[in-house]
Amino acid sequence: MKKGHLHEFLTEYAAGDNLRLHTPGHKGKLCDIDITELDGVFPDAQIEAAERDIAAAYNAKHARLLACGSSQGVKAAVYFAAANGIADVNSHRSVFDGFKLSGKTVKTVGRRGDVRPITVKDIDGALTPDIGCVVVTSPTYYGFVADVDGIADYCKRKGLLFIVDGAHGAHFGFSPLLPKAFADKCDICNVSAHKTLKAFTQGAILLDNLSERKSDKLFEAVKIMGTTSPSYPLYASIEDAVIAARSDEKAYAALYGPIGELRGRFPFLKNDDFTRLVLDCERAGVSPKELNATLVGKGVYSELVTDKYIVFLFTAADSAENVQRLYAALRACI
């Protein structure tokens, strides 16, 4: 698999006969590509190149690598907005943390526990003159996609900053079988490379379509919300994951048929993302917690268990055999 700018430098450094008189303290013994900043050498040029390529992959103007997950990006976006806002009542806690940090208020809309995203109607019904931004979760944890185009048009007409928490949609746009990517439709959005691409945990991306001056200001917020010691192997995994995703169309095609067959055998919600299977346990006549415990006993671990649903997640790293294994486990239980 092709490696990115960051990975290329890290592997070349690790292969060299270098005297490491810098952090980290393990001096390459735990992980030979785990290094720190090298003044005048690394990583500024490599990060700039990586972020430029990632922005192009998502059709956004700018991209920022995140070492503290999408939470870092969401908080940075809301803090940057510095305005009272509207958000889904089911938003991730980072949305509300962002408003607390900015000293602004948030008006929640939608129904608590709903699996679907909020709509233009929801937003319009809550809009007051003091509102300056809108935060929409799309896709939701349950694989439903918001009307991003419609909300974008609405926000533009009303002069509202449009932020999308797209943590679970990093893979969108990399296959015609998946929903379209959304980074070009909003002012700011985040995607979690570690959730649905082949990146290390905590690896995420913040994308924006702001002016250069405003994007630089957003980046200041990103730095405030992050760490001054990011993991460069983690950064490299994000870049490599986006590179790999551009070649994952065949992998998604190989999963589409088997997952479709599985969906036809059990009561899964009819959502927008075929890779995210949400089992309706009430319709299946089983207890979510009891079923999940049984599945764990069979070595099958789900993404999420609620009082109604169990969420199973497939990615381009999975195979048709993995789909079959889930089918066999469910068939033995339901």
Side-chain angles (χ1 to χ4, degrees):
M1 184 182 75
K2 180 183 177 183
K3 299 298 182 182
H5 304 281
L6 286 156
H7 206 132
E8 183 177 324
F9 179 89
L10 292 172
T11 52
E12 286 181 0
Y13 183 86
D17 182 19
N18 300 309
L19 180 59
R20 301 189 182 202
L21 301 181
H22 54 72
T23 60
H26 63 75
K27 301 301 182 82
K29 298 299 191 297
L30 291 178
C31 174
D32 62 358
I33 64 170
D34 182 22
I35 66 170
T36 188
E37 299 93 342
L38 304 175
D39 285 348
V41 179
F42 177 83
D44 291 351
Q46 292 81 3
I47 288 179
E48 182 180 343
E51 291 179 337
R52 182 178 61 246
D53 291 349
I54 290 170
Y58 284 99
N59 199 26
K61 288 181 66 175
H62 310 102
R64 306 291 184 186
L65 296 171
L66 305 175
C68 299
S70 269
S71 294
Q72 179 187 359
V74 171
K75 287 184 283 188
V78 175
Y79 184 82
F80 161 81
N84 296 332
I86 293 172
D88 191 331
V89 68
N90 299 300
S91 295
H92 188 264
R93 63 163 291 176
S94 57
V95 173
F96 303 108
D97 289 344
F99 280 104
K100 288 179 183 177
L101 290 165
S102 70
K104 301 299 181 178
T105 61
V106 57
K107 185 180 297 184
T108 58
V109 297
R111 297 179 301 174
R112 189 169 297 281
D114 200 346
V115 299
R116 297 179 182 276
I118 59 175
T119 66
V120 170
K121 183 178 180 180
D122 294 326
I123 297 167
D124 188 60
L127 186 64
T128 51
D130 63 317
I131 299 295
C133 68
V134 172
V135 185
V136 173
T137 302
S138 181
T140 67
Y141 217 124
Y142 304 92
F144 289 93
V145 176
D147 176 17
V148 174
D149 288 352
I151 296 173
D153 289 342
Y154 178 86
C155 288
K156 187 174 182 178
R157 293 198 310 271
K158 298 292 184 178
L160 303 169
L161 186 76
F162 181 27
I163 301 169
V164 175
D165 177 5
H168 297 276
H171 57 310
F172 285 11
F174 290 112
S175 164
L177 301 172
L178 294 166
K180 294 179 180 179
F182 44 80
D184 60 329
K185 304 297 183 182
C186 55
D187 294 301
I188 308 171
C189 72
N190 57 279
V191 294
S192 288
H194 74 94
K195 292 186 185 297
T196 56
L197 302 184
K198 303 163 189 172
F200 290 153
T201 296
Q202 289 186 210
I205 305 161
L206 188 65
L207 301 150
D208 76 74
N209 296 296
L210 305 171
S211 67
E212 296 298 324
R213 181 182 64 82
K214 289 185 178 181
S215 185
D216 288 343
K217 186 177 179 182
L218 174 63
F219 187 37
E220 290 301 314
V222 169
K223 289 189 285 187
I224 289 171
M225 301 303 167
T227 174
T228 57
S229 299
S231 164
Y232 295 120
L234 188 155
Y235 273 5
S237 80
I238 300 170
E239 182 186 14
D240 291 347
V242 174
I243 292 172
R246 293 177 124 167
S247 302
D248 278 341
E249 188 173 326
K250 290 184 178 179
Y252 289 115
L255 290 171
Y256 189 75
I259 289 178
E261 292 181 13
L262 178 61
R263 283 178 173 273
R265 301 296 182 92
F266 300 98
F268 292 106
L269 299 186
K270 295 181 179 179
N271 55 11
D272 300 307
D273 180 1
F274 85 91
T275 66
R276 188 167 293 254
L277 279 69
V278 183
L279 184 67
D280 186 334
C281 292
E282 183 176 340
R283 286 173 55 203
V286 295
S287 160
K289 291 185 178 180
E290 290 179 5
L291 174 58
N292 190 65
T294 302
L295 291 173
V296 168
K298 296 179 179 294
V300 176
Y301 291 80
S302 63
E303 168 69 11
L304 175 71
V305 183
T306 73
D307 59 350
K308 295 181 180 179
Y309 308 110
I310 301 180
V311 180
F312 304 97
L313 175 63
F314 288 97
T315 75
D318 281 297
S319 65
E321 289 73 20
N322 291 350
V323 180
Q324 179 58 35
R325 184 174 177 184
L326 176 59
Y327 167 72
L330 289 175
R331 187 179 181 186
C333 301
I334 300 177

